[in-house]
Amino acid sequence: MRQTVKLILYYFIYQLGCSSVISFIAYAGHAIRRYSESGTLRLPADGEVSLSVPAVILSLLLSNVLMGIHLIWKNYIDRQNWVRISGRLMISILPLTLGMMLWMNYLTEWFALPDLTADMFIQMKDHVLGVVSIALIAPIVEEMLFRGAIEGHLLRVWKNPSAAIFASALIFGIIHLNPAQIPYAFVLGLLLGWLYWRTRSLLPCILLHLINNGLSVILMTAAPESASSMDALFGKTTALALSVAGLLLTVITIWYIIRQTAGSTSAQAHKRKPEV
């Protein structure tokens, strides 16, 4: 468990470090501009300078890239995490993701939890690098960290797949630090954790995460501003029917994946202990 805590600390250190560097550059740039205009050097007052959306995006991108490099450099991730799986199983990830998104979005909307990052994500989707960060870089690095490094380590140490999957999913949910995202991220983490254990590969996990985040960006872009929920977008009856259909689709696809991976010795594949 100590290795898990260490990895989480690295995750936050990279985020805080990159944010601090970008903030320093923003403050320094503001001070230099003031000096060139007035001829006097004065540090910006509190609240006078705030990070722009592109600066926040750059900070997130940089922290994720550094985290990914760290995981590979320290051998938390290697070839054993990239087991090739069948094309049919990879194709099944699409209906699995769609089904899960339908019923989980419907369910989480019932709780009406506060969304602390909604405005930031809405602004990020209007920037190319923002879309790249949300829909490409974050899914890849997060799967390397939470499934490959953290869950893989827990599977080796605890020898209990259920406990390892639950723990990694719980960490994945809490790490989002946003009440509206935590329940969805936790359930998504359970599904991704089970998929990683079942297939012994990060490939289907990354694909599922990419589809989930990519479709979320597309829906935020395409849906009208008034449609803030499934009920508002489709109507109550249709939204309920879609959520039930999504749940059935999820169950059927999970059954199919179990059939496709029958006989797999997933838990036994996580024996290598990476360098710390």
Side-chain angles (χ1 to χ4, degrees), residues 13-273:
I13 287 171
Y14 281 124
Q15 288 197 334
L16 292 174
C18 291
S19 178
S20 298
V21 170
I22 299 299
S23 297
F24 174 80
I25 293 173
Y27 273 77
H30 181 83
I32 292 172
R33 285 195 301 271
R34 290 294 300 267
Y35 179 76
S36 63
E37 293 171 357
S38 62
T40 58
L41 184 62
R42 181 181 65 83
L43 293 177
D46 292 341
E48 190 174 350
V49 178
S50 60
L51 284 181
S52 63
V53 174
V56 173
I57 293 171
L58 181 60
S59 175
L60 291 173
L61 273 174
L62 184 58
S63 63
N64 275 320
V65 169
L66 290 176
M67 188 72 226
I69 293 173
H70 180 95
L71 293 171
I72 296 173
W73 179 44
K74 291 294 186 178
N75 293 325
Y76 291 105
I77 301 297
D78 61 14
R79 293 181 181 179
Q80 296 185 36
N81 298 106
W82 308 102
V83 177
R84 294 181 63 181
I85 62 176
S86 70
R88 287 181 296 180
L89 198 149
M90 289 294 283
I91 292 173
S92 70
I93 299 302
L94 177 58
L96 177 64
T97 312
L98 291 174
M100 185 275 303
M101 291 184 71
L102 284 172
W103 68 267
M104 268 306 299
N105 275 306
Y106 184 82
L107 185 62
T108 53
E109 286 171 6
W110 274 34
F111 294 99
L113 295 172
D115 193 342
L116 307 180
T117 60
D119 292 339
M120 177 56 65
F121 278 109
I122 290 174
Q123 295 180 70
M124 286 179 68
K125 71 177 178 58
D126 295 327
H127 296 265
V128 174
L129 286 181
V131 174
V132 171
S133 177
I134 296 171
L136 181 61
I137 303 300
I140 294 174
V141 175
E142 288 177 2
E143 289 312 301
M144 290 169 60
L145 173 61
F146 294 101
R147 253 57 64 181
I150 292 178
E151 183 181 329
H153 171 70
L154 294 178
L155 284 168
R156 289 186 296 272
V157 174
W158 290 352
K159 309 299 182 181
N160 184 339
S162 298
I165 292 169
F166 180 86
S168 63
L170 184 61
I171 295 170
F172 181 64
I174 294 174
I175 211 76
H176 283 78
L177 302 176
N178 182 16
Q181 289 180 289
I182 289 175
Y184 187 99
F186 171 66
V187 175
L188 178 62
L190 289 176
L191 183 59
L192 289 165
W194 172 83
L195 192 61
Y196 177 63
W197 169 74
R198 192 78 193 180
T199 64
R200 300 177 291 171
S201 177
L202 286 175
L203 295 176
C205 303
I206 290 175
L207 179 60
L208 193 156
H209 208 150
L210 287 171
I211 295 172
N212 178 82
N213 287 23
L215 286 177
S216 297
V217 172
I218 292 173
L219 289 173
M220 281 193 297
T221 304
E225 295 183 4
S226 58
S228 58
S229 66
M230 288 183 65
D231 283 348
L233 185 60
F234 301 109
K236 291 185 177 181
T237 302
T238 303
L240 177 60
L242 286 172
S243 67
V244 172
L247 181 59
L248 291 175
L249 184 59
T250 302
V251 172
I252 293 171
T253 313
I254 288 175
W255 171 83
Y256 176 79
I257 292 174
I258 292 174
R259 291 286 301 272
Q260 289 292 309
T261 57
S264 173
T265 55
S266 302
Q268 297 178 8
H270 301 84
K271 292 182 179 180
R272 179 188 56 81
K273 185 176 181 180

